[in-house]
Amino acid sequence: MSSEKSGMSKIEQDRQLLIDARSEGKMATLGAWLRLSGPGWLQSAITIGGGSLSNSLYLGVLVGFAFLWVQPVAMILGVSMLAAISYVTLSTGERPLKAVNEHVSPILGWGWLIASMAANIVWSMPQYSLSAGALQQNLFPEFFGPGFNGTMGAAAIVMAIAIFFVMLYNYGGAGVKIFEIIIKVLIGAIVLCFFGVIVKLFMSGQIQWAEVGNGLIPDITLLFEPSEKLAALIADVDQEFHDFWSDYTIGKQRDTLTGAAATAVGINMTFLLPYSMLRKGWNRDFRNLAVFDLATGLVIPFALATGCVVMASASQFYGETEKGLVGGVAAESYVGNAAQKRLSERYWSLLNMRMAKEVEVATGTRKTEHEELLDQVKSIRTDLTQAFDEYQKSKAGLEEATVSQSAVDAALKKLNGLLVKMNEFYQENVDKADRVFAATIVDRDSFNLADALAPLLGKGPAKYIFGFGVIAMALNAATMLMLINGLCFCELLGKPAKGAPQVIGSLMPLVAVFVLLKWQGAMMWLAVPTSVFCAMLLPIAYLAFFLLINQKKFMKDNMPTGLGRFIWNIFMVLAVIASGALSLFNLNTKLGNPWGYVIFIAFGVLIVAVHFAMKAKKATVQPSQAE
């Protein structure tokens, strides 16, 4: 038998392994599935990335445990569609883009391809910003400074590792196997890191099972009203500004929910899955393995990782006022900690928004006075930024022996004076209730979550364990986004997924690194608006494969039948409706009525028009061919 196998191709050996295992029983089949799994783990590498971590963190910050249901529900619906995509691909053996273009609509097919490429590039931004933040804040703050050079240096290291992984996969053969093993190890390490954190929280009594159970019951009321603890804080604010803070909070809750749903299964994941299976040589004999692979490689790791982050965040941050902000920002934290510096600046930005609202509602002399105050604080912030830059330069000069210690002390004294001035200004001109609320809802980074876990794990272990998890998640996602874009680019050119076209396509998402040049704010929060953008694109892929799997002319004898088809279609219909509603909701909230409806309807009309035009063309071509 061994001599026979030595003459087989790798895919023939895998197929024979499955056939032999089925004849030996369920345990042997399970063992074969575990040995051959791979594409599902690649899906995990994308979805357990910066977006999932960021959205999970902010779900906990904004609503506590109440949105624990969002990501599991989105994943169940998404996996039903991924299973359909794998079934169609493995049953027919056709390249998915060609199948959608020829049998459904080229509008959906090319829309799917272009939207996937757009998502790859947009989604790369939070991966590099997040990984840079972890290296600067959690792992090597002494080596990677808080400025631009430190950020770009950290991002460049992650970029180099991601490029190596992508080239390993593009090499094919043993490279693919090595790449998949690395991905499995990293994902397993991520899940273990966050699971360990949650075990500690449960043991210390900071998380209760009742809270977790309640959070798994779907509740959409928080799309229209602030969560309970935040609403109570808003009630303490002057009546004149209730609507301002409520609208701001509801907007954040909506963005985070839709972002969390979008990162469960993104449109680019729908592109990777079929092509990764075709690349491995899988066919109809591998359909059951494909479903098992999605369940074990995608659903379980995703549910554990995201659920643990939501629970950890909720236990530490929900309704909790960030220390060191309301009473005034301390100079030592602003100067000595890059994460705390950014946190302070985001807090001040919230207070400035509140002051701008005061200008908006005021009239006459009162309005002019508020405008003058707003100009005054903007001037202080400008001076503070310049003073910080001067201090950083003087420190660097001291290390290089080009300036004296007295110059550094003078720069620090100037900086401290401006910080005192800033603190006094806000305490005099913004009510304490507003400052408390701003300090409660301010955007946190991964550093803050790790720091909050220090009493449980120890300051050092908490910082490094959480930092490692963040880096692994961002690295996995960055690598897979490059890989998917290479596949997309090859399909766009109509070329095989190899050689120069695949390399060029794989490197295209790296342009996102340069967005860091302009970026300011919370590194983790950058992933949330990115998720919202991707949520608008998802229905394209879902609709395309829902129509494809239900087309008898295309599927022929491979079309699902009976009760299984009925149940499967229910889940797919729910997935199409949910993703469509999510897309329309985002279009309306971001663009405003009526443009959201106009774009949504116009795209639908275009799909239908092209579909019937294709049918008419085929109807006229077939008779002429028969003649």
Side-chain angles (χ1 to χ4, degrees), residues 344-354 381 426:
S344 304
E345 290 168 349
R346 294 193 296 272
Y347 167 69
W348 293 333
S349 294
L350 284 175
L351 297 185
N352 288 352
M353 287 171 56
R354 153 67 173 75
R381 286 197 66 173
Y426 284 123

Side-chain angles (χ1 to χ4, degrees), residues 44-254:
S44 266
I46 312 169
T47 195
I48 305 179
S52 295
L53 175 61
S54 303
N55 285 292
S56 299
L57 171 64
Y58 288 108
L59 285 177
V61 171
L62 294 168
V63 298
F65 295 86
F67 277 167
L68 260 178
W69 61 273
V70 171
Q71 288 158 307
V73 169
M75 178 56 73
I76 289 170
L77 296 178
V79 165
S80 71
M81 291 305 305
L82 289 177
I85 292 170
S86 68
Y87 185 88
V88 169
T89 303
L90 298 181
S91 297
T92 64
E94 281 204 39
R95 299 183 75 79
L97 181 64
K98 179 175 179 289
V100 174
N101 282 344
E102 292 182 358
H103 299 281
V104 182
S105 168
I107 299 298
L108 278 177
W110 291 115
W112 176 45
L113 173 68
I114 293 169
S116 295
M117 292 186 72
N120 293 331
I121 294 172
V122 172
W123 257 116
S124 290
M125 289 188 285
Q127 312 311 327
Y128 292 108
S129 63
L130 183 63
S131 56
L135 285 170
Q136 286 177 296
Q137 300 165 17
N138 295 72
L139 300 177
F140 305 107
E142 300 84 5
F143 186 76
F144 297 102
F148 166 76
N149 291 336
T151 300
M152 293 304 293
I157 288 177
V158 176
M159 183 200 312
I161 298 172
I163 291 173
F164 170 75
F165 282 174
V166 168
M167 295 308 159
L168 192 66
Y169 186 88
N170 288 344
Y171 176 74
V176 174
K177 193 65 180 177
I178 294 170
F179 178 79
E180 290 178 351
I181 291 172
I182 292 171
I183 291 296
K184 289 179 182 179
V185 170
L186 286 175
I187 291 171
I190 294 166
V191 174
L192 285 175
C193 282
F194 293 120
F195 186 71
V197 166
I198 291 305
V199 169
K200 285 281 189 179
L201 290 172
F202 270 111
M203 290 175 63
S204 66
Q206 295 190 52
I207 296 179
Q208 304 296 326
W209 285 111
E211 294 176 313
V212 176
N214 291 335
L216 292 172
I217 301 173
D219 177 13
I220 61 170
T221 60
L222 294 176
L223 289 172
F224 310 101
E225 60 187 39
S227 59
E228 184 179 356
K229 285 188 178 180
L230 297 184
L233 291 173
I234 292 173
D236 294 334
V237 173
D238 191 296
Q239 182 68 39
E240 189 178 24
F241 300 104
H242 278 194
D243 289 344
F244 166 73
W245 285 121
S246 290
D247 292 344
Y248 177 80
T249 303
I250 293 167
K252 293 269 282 189
Q253 290 175 182
R254 287 174 175 175

Side-chain angles (χ1 to χ4, degrees), residues 578-594:
S579 63
L582 197 66
S583 177
L584 182 58
F585 180 80
N586 277 289
L587 285 169
N588 280 331
T589 55
K590 300 306 173 187
L591 299 180
N593 292 323

Side-chain angles (χ1 to χ4, degrees), residues 27 43 97 109 130 132 143 155 174 199 207 247 295 310 361 363 369 388 403 407 427 491 627:
M27 292 305 297
Q43 299 295 313
L97 181 64
L130 183 63
F143 186 76
V199 169
I207 296 179
D247 292 344
V310 172
V361 300
T363 58
E369 290 174 352
F388 181 79
V403 301
Q427 290 172 7
E491 282 296 288
E627 293 173 8

Side-chain angles (χ1 to χ4, degrees), residues 240-241 355-371:
E240 189 178 24
F241 300 104
M355 292 177 68
K357 183 65 179 178
E358 199 161 2
V359 171
E360 181 184 319
V361 300
T363 58
T365 305
R366 181 176 171 81
K367 184 180 184 73
T368 303
E369 290 174 352
H370 289 319
E371 287 174 337

Side-chain angles (χ1 to χ4, degrees), residues 491-539:
E491 282 296 288
L492 182 66
L493 300 178
K495 302 286 186 181
K498 61 182 181 180
Q502 188 172 20
V503 172
I504 293 170
S506 296
L507 297 178
M508 286 171 64
L510 297 183
V511 300
V513 176
F514 296 100
V515 174
L516 293 174
L517 292 169
K518 295 285 186 181
W519 175 83
Q520 290 181 343
M523 288 192 172
M524 296 194 71
W525 179 251
L526 182 59
V528 177
T530 306
S531 306
V532 172
F533 168 78
C534 294
M536 299 179 191
L537 308 177
L538 189 58

